[in-house]
Amino acid sequence: MNSAVNQTVAVIDYGMGNLRSVAQAVIHATTDTHVNAVITSDPQAVRQAHRVVLPGQGAMADCMRELRESGMLEPVLEAAATKPLFGVCVGMQMLLDHSAEGHTAAGTPGLGLIPGEVVKFDLAGQTAPDGNRYKVPQMGWNRVIQARQHPVWAGVPDESWFYFVHSFYARPSNAQHSVGESDYGNRFTAAVARDNIFATQFHPEKSAAQGLALYRNFLHWNP
């Protein structure tokens, strides 16, 4: 793994997402590196950054609207084509073609960077191993199985615990793009990757040491 030298990682501020927690975790991950973390709502700063973090929290339709209206849509698409990009939570869901979540029955179009759909948990009447009914959204810690090897998993033990808050999950068209999986009533995709893109449904910034390890690995990842 090559060290990142004199690089900048931009955490995108487009008015949505758990920005403060994500930014603090990314800044912490830059300790003892030559990477400078910036939190920015400036499209030009995103274009100039060497790598980009796309957070997301809340409703998919709202996140997509704010991404467009903030002027960040084109810089994100440019970043996804040319540099390492890390999507978090709804920031991961936005990477797919379409989400069933939206303000109308038609759902919400995504960025189309990873083929697939985002669907809602359908767990009505199902009982969890502890005897309780599954609740939607899923809120809490869950194990993540590393379905595919990837440099961002480096040093993170398989089946580590990560923190989730979500009602919808990604269903990639190509199984090779599903690099992390978890179980909540059924097996679902918890992390996706393609070329220079890596993204997680869970929140690394809320997942203690293993989450910080993912951000640290991302800072040194040279796809």
Side-chain angles (χ1 to χ4, degrees), residues 57-106:
Q57 189 166 296
M60 171 82 167
D62 295 337
C63 286
M64 287 298 300
R65 182 193 67 242
E66 292 300 320
L67 191 69
R68 288 192 301 271
E69 293 183 356
S70 67
M72 286 295 187
L73 177 60
E74 288 303 322
V76 166
L77 293 175
E78 291 167 13
T82 60
K83 63 189 70 171
L85 183 146
F86 195 131
V88 181
C89 194
V90 180
M92 165 184 153
Q93 295 178 6
M94 293 163 71
L95 300 177
L96 279 82
D97 293 321
H98 181 267
S99 175
E101 182 183 21
H103 298 316
T104 69

Side-chain angles (χ1 to χ4, degrees), residues 25-126:
V26 172
I27 290 169
H28 187 64
T30 64
T31 304
D32 298 325
T33 74
H34 294 282
V35 182
N36 179 43
V38 297
I39 300 90
T40 184
S41 57
D42 179 5
Q44 191 59 29
V46 176
R47 291 187 169 100
Q48 292 174 349
H50 297 88
R51 52 195 74 227
V52 171
V53 176
L54 177 65
Q57 189 166 296
M60 171 82 167
D62 295 337
C63 286
M64 287 298 300
R65 182 193 67 242
E66 292 300 320
L67 191 69
R68 288 192 301 271
E69 293 183 356
S70 67
M72 286 295 187
L73 177 60
E74 288 303 322
V76 166
L77 293 175
E78 291 167 13
T82 60
K83 63 189 70 171
L85 183 146
F86 195 131
V88 181
C89 194
V90 180
M92 165 184 153
Q93 295 178 6
M94 293 163 71
L95 300 177
L96 279 82
D97 293 321
H98 181 267
S99 175
E101 182 183 21
H103 298 316
T104 69
T108 305
L111 298 174
L113 297 170
I114 294 181
E117 301 286 319
V118 177
V119 298
K120 189 172 185 178
F121 280 119
D122 182 11
L123 302 172
Q126 292 190 42

Side-chain angles (χ1 to χ4, degrees), residues 143-219:
R143 292 185 185 274
V144 173
I145 299 158
Q146 297 174 18
R148 304 279 183 276
Q149 291 185 342
H150 194 281
V152 178
W153 289 131
V156 177
D158 194 16
E159 299 192 30
S160 290
W161 294 85
F162 292 93
Y163 190 81
F164 290 82
V165 181
H166 64 126
S167 300
F168 292 78
Y169 63 94
R171 187 183 286 165
S173 300
N174 185 341
Q176 295 298 314
H177 294 154
S178 181
V179 298
E181 298 176 357
S182 193
D183 282 292
Y184 194 69
N186 57 280
R187 183 68 66 90
F188 70 91
T189 293
V192 297
R194 178 185 67 79
D195 302 327
N196 54 301
I197 297 171
F198 186 93
T200 64
Q201 179 61 65
F202 55 84
H203 290 269
E205 71 281 358
K206 297 181 180 179
S207 300
Q210 304 302 357
L212 280 176
L214 292 187
Y215 283 137
R216 196 170 292 113
N217 287 340
F218 172 71
L219 297 178

